[in-house]
Structure formats: structure tokens, C-alpha cells
Amino acid sequence: MMRDVIAAPRPGLDFRRHYGHHQSPAIRAGGLIFCSGMLPIDPDTGERRHGTLTEEAHCIFGNLKLLLESAGSSLDRLVQVHALIYDSIEYDVLNRVYRQYVANGPPARTVWTAQSEAGFKIQLDVVAAA
Amino acid sequence: MSLSRTVVAPLSGLDAAAALGQPASTLVRGGPFLFVSGLAAVDPATGRLMRGTIMGETRMILTNLRQLLEAAGSSMDKVVKVNVLMASMLEAVPMNDVYVRFFPDPPPARTVCGARLPDGCRVMIECTALA
């Protein structure tokens, strides 16, 4: 079985080029798509888009939609999500924005607190059906 | 449809899950995938945790990972996703500098985050590979 590399759908989403991270945006293998940690990066310029957790989450879901759709999948095909947030006090804030993007049968999800690079408030680690 | 699940016995000295005293298998094959437990920097010569710099621990872990995967019939270029957990995100750059030398081009998908780790580890690395 092969693994297919999913290229960055927009120039800003090539984190390797902008930040030197040794990672592909996503890999398709075994009928699944494994995405690298999704961060609030401007999809055109590659600049970091720091904001409130809600603002960062909107940016991340926009990037995730671009990435999954370029790979022939979509937000409706998410299987599992790990939501890494900087402080559990924002759990309800996360849920309010998250709900807008997973209207049709939400994926499995685990939320925990962790540090993300550059002090971002949220990072999404996801697996989708191809 | 039912897929197989097989616990793969790791090479001696490389049983990272056992070194941490965890009720976990280091390698489990499920369907087309090989799931690898979070690896700490275990020195295969002693079977114990090595204390080192972030670069030393990362190098030890990825050297062990390569051996584990190859012994299980997989390899570094079949890895699809890596999760790197770090005690401090301030060390992400030196971790990445070592990481680059172990994975092919194009590399697997990856998530890096800071977390509290057991036993004073600076870094733990888990991954999913094609079997």
C-alpha cells in the first residue's frame, strides 16, 4: 500500500517553506487522510494570525476546509479530531465556534490543554475519511 | 468487515512502553496500519531511560523508531503521521533539526505540541505507519 502526499492547497499553507517544519500538509493512506497540526496561518501569505481562540479557530477551520477539499475530502468527512487548547477555561468558547463547522454528525473528538507553537491558543490534529 | 489486530513484539532493549512500566504495547498492527506507542529516549544498551539534551533524546528516539519499524516490516518512509510531545516548545527548533535527518522527503504529516511528560522526559514521539 502507498502513502500519498497532499500538497499545500495555497502557498501560505506550506509550513515547511514558511517555518522550516519537516512535515507534509497531509498524507493519504489506507483510506484515511492524516493532517499535520492545523494552525491559524494566513493561507495566502503564511503569516501567523494570532487572535482570540474563536478567531484562531475560524482561521484553522478555513484552512482545514481548503486542505481537505484539495484532497477530495471535506469537513463533513472528519473522523477524529484532537483539539489542543491553551487553557481549559476556554472549553465552552471552543465548543461555540466548533459547532458551526461540524453540523452533520460531528466526528469523534478529544480536547486537552497543551502548548502550541508561537503561543497559538488552539491547534487541531485531525483524521478524515479520504 | 473485520481487520486483524496483532501485537508486534519489539526488539529487546527497545520496549519503550515496558521501560516506563506502562501497560501498553510498543507496536500494534491494526488493519493496514502499524501504531507505535509514545517512545521515550530508551538506551537500547541498558533498556533504561536516557537523560540528555533535546537533540540527544530526539536522536535516540528516532534511531530506535527506525529499528522498531524495520524489524516489523515497515520503514521510516511508510510513516504517515507523527505526534511530537515536548516538555518545552522552546526546544522545538533543535528537535526539528534532528528530526529532518531521519525522515524522507516528502516527510510524514506531523503535529508538535508542548505537554507535561512522565519521568522527566524532554520529548516523546508516537507515530502511525503503513505496516
Side-chain angles (χ1 to χ4, degrees):
Chain A
M1 189 175 288
M2 295 289 295
R3 47 158 237 185
D4 302 319
V5 174
I6 310 298
R10 298 271 277 275
L13 298 180
D14 186 347
F15 295 0
R16 200 174 167 199
R17 184 174 133 228
H18 291 283
Y19 298 104
H21 298 351
H22 195 61
Q23 61 193 44
S24 297
I27 299 282
R28 179 171 43 221
L32 298 173
I33 296 172
F34 298 83
C35 298
S36 285
M38 301 298 295
L39 294 165
I41 303 285
D42 187 292
D44 295 314
T45 66
E47 287 302 310
R48 296 183 173 114
R49 286 274 175 259
H50 289 279
T52 63
L53 188 143
T54 302
E55 289 163 348
E56 291 191 5
H58 280 305
C59 183
I60 287 171
F61 271 107
N63 291 344
L64 186 56
K65 183 172 191 293
L66 288 169
L67 181 60
L68 291 177
E69 290 181 356
S70 80
S73 183
S74 69
L75 291 176
D76 286 338
R77 295 179 64 73
L78 285 170
V79 172
Q80 185 186 43
V81 177
H82 293 158
L84 284 56
I85 61 176
Y86 75 108
D87 192 324
S88 55
I89 201 164
E90 297 249 44
Y91 186 71
D92 182 61
V93 174
L94 167 70
N95 281 340
R96 286 180 69 87
V97 58
Y98 188 90
R99 196 170 275 127
Q100 300 170 40
Y101 291 93
V102 293
N104 309 318
R109 188 187 76 167
T110 306
V111 181
W112 69 87
T113 59
Q115 285 185 320
S116 292
E117 67 168 80
F120 285 128
K121 295 190 170 75
I122 175 169
Q123 174 168 210
L124 295 183
D125 184 41
V126 317
V127 179
Chain B
M1 184 178 65
S2 172
L3 295 172
S4 66
R5 169 200 188 267
T6 318
V7 173
V8 182
L11 298 173
S12 78
L14 293 181
D15 197 341
L20 290 175
Q22 290 177 341
S25 297
T26 298
L27 293 158
V28 178
R29 188 180 291 127
F33 296 109
L34 194 58
F35 296 87
V36 184
S37 285
L39 300 181
V42 174
D43 182 348
T46 63
R48 295 185 178 196
L49 280 174
M50 177 200 100
R51 296 266 179 263
T53 60
I54 186 66
M55 296 181 89
E57 289 197 17
T58 304
R59 191 177 301 113
M60 178 68 80
I61 291 169
L62 294 178
T63 301
N64 293 347
L65 176 63
R66 182 160 56 200
Q67 283 195 272
L68 285 164
L69 290 174
E70 289 176 1
S74 183
S75 62
M76 294 297 257
D77 53 13
K78 288 186 175 178
V79 174
V80 297
K81 176 72 200 293
V82 180
N83 292 329
V84 181
L85 284 68
M86 311 194 59
S88 169
M89 281 299 283
L90 295 175
E91 298 187 317
V93 170
M95 179 281 296
N96 191 60
D97 288 345
V98 175
Y99 185 98
V100 165
R101 294 184 223 144
F102 282 87
F103 284 98
D105 189 352
R110 186 179 74 168
T111 297
V112 181
C113 72
R116 287 193 185 174
L117 300 178
D119 301 305
C121 296
R122 288 175 178 277
V123 57
M124 290 186 83
I125 300 178
E126 64 164 4
C127 78
T128 306
L130 284 167

